[in-house]
Amino acid sequence: SAVISQKPSRDICQRGTSLTIQCQVDSQVTMMFWYRQQPGQSLTLIATANQGSEATYESGFVIDKFPISRPNLTFSTLTVSNMSPEDSSIYLCSVELGARGNTEAFFGQGTRLTVV
Amino acid sequence: GENVEQHPSTLSVQEGDSAVIKCTYSDSASNYFPWYKQELGKRPQLIIDIRSNVGEKKDQRIAVTLNKTAKHFSLHITETQPEDSAVYFCAASITDYKLSFGAGTTVTVRA
């Protein structure tokens, strides 16, 4: 398994501001994933972050709103920009570990964001 | 892309009874099907998974079955206990690729 640390664990932010969420993993991983989980809902993939290249965004998510950094193989950040109350969600980072063809996904503890 | 549907959305069972959650997927190329349990305020935790080269996998009180022809897979929990109360998510993916999640099932085990 992996130790995945996310910071902050929660925050309350004013609309129009931005928040950067950090994700640190205790081992080197090729891909890191950022998910959003709206209240009472399932997990929706925002983007896949690869080290050394731009993140790949899913339909409905854009780089200007959710810029991602991936400076090395153990760390990534997700920024939620120009926030509105609709951005209130739990944001989770995830990594896949294991031998190729036999990987498992593990999640950070999440960042609970409330926009007021 | 992959579309995963999950049923039921809520499930209430008597302690000791069995619980079954069913999922269907759309992409015939998907070959990895994990199940996650998420307790209130906590991260999703992998409880069992199955790959397309097997039809069934069991781990103590939990089992998963896979029907690739019909593109559906199911989670079975036997002898349910109060600590089994949580939200359960199924997911599907092509190996080593991104996961697509079902909508989740809230399981309540009545004592």
Side-chain angles (χ1 to χ4, degrees), chain A residues 10-67:
Chain A
R10 59 178 62 227
D11 207 340
I12 301 174
C13 300
Q14 296 289 325
R15 68 177 66 201
T17 64
S18 298
L19 176 72
T20 295
I21 302 167
Q22 300 180 2
C23 182
Q24 179 77 50
V25 188
D26 68 347
S27 57
Q28 294 184 339
V29 294
T30 303
M31 292 190 289
M32 295 177 77
F33 304 89
W34 287 97
Y35 288 86
R36 180 174 73 184
Q37 187 174 27
Q38 293 176 305
Q41 302 294 314
S42 185
L43 290 84
T44 302
L45 182 64
I46 297 171
T48 302
N50 294 323
Q51 194 267 336
S53 63
E54 274 197 12
T56 302
Y57 289 82
E58 297 300 305
S59 176
F61 297 97
V62 294
I63 188 171
D64 289 347
K65 176 66 175 178
F66 298 102

Side-chain angles (χ1 to χ4, degrees), chain A residues 67-83:
Chain A
I68 287 172
S69 78
R70 183 79 203 273
N72 57 53
L73 291 173
T74 63
F75 187 78
S76 178
T77 66
L78 170 76
T79 299
V80 187
S81 304
N82 188 24
M83 288 183 285

Side-chain angles (χ1 to χ4, degrees), chain B residues 27-64:
Chain B
D27 189 346
S28 57
S30 290
N31 55 10
Y32 177 58
F33 307 93
W35 287 88
Y36 289 85
K37 175 182 180 182
Q38 187 175 33
E39 297 175 348
L40 192 62
K42 297 192 175 181
R43 75 189 77 190
Q45 298 270 19
L46 178 71
I47 57 171
I48 195 167
D49 58 13
I50 191 167
R51 299 183 190 269
S52 60
N53 55 343
V54 297
E56 184 174 359
K57 185 176 178 180
K58 191 173 181 180
D59 183 3
Q60 299 182 9
R61 297 187 296 108
I62 295 173
V64 57

Side-chain angles (χ1 to χ4, degrees), chain A residues 12-16 84-85 88 114-116:
Chain A
I12 301 174
C13 300
Q14 296 289 325
R15 68 177 66 201
S84 66
S88 298
T114 302
V115 183
V116 298

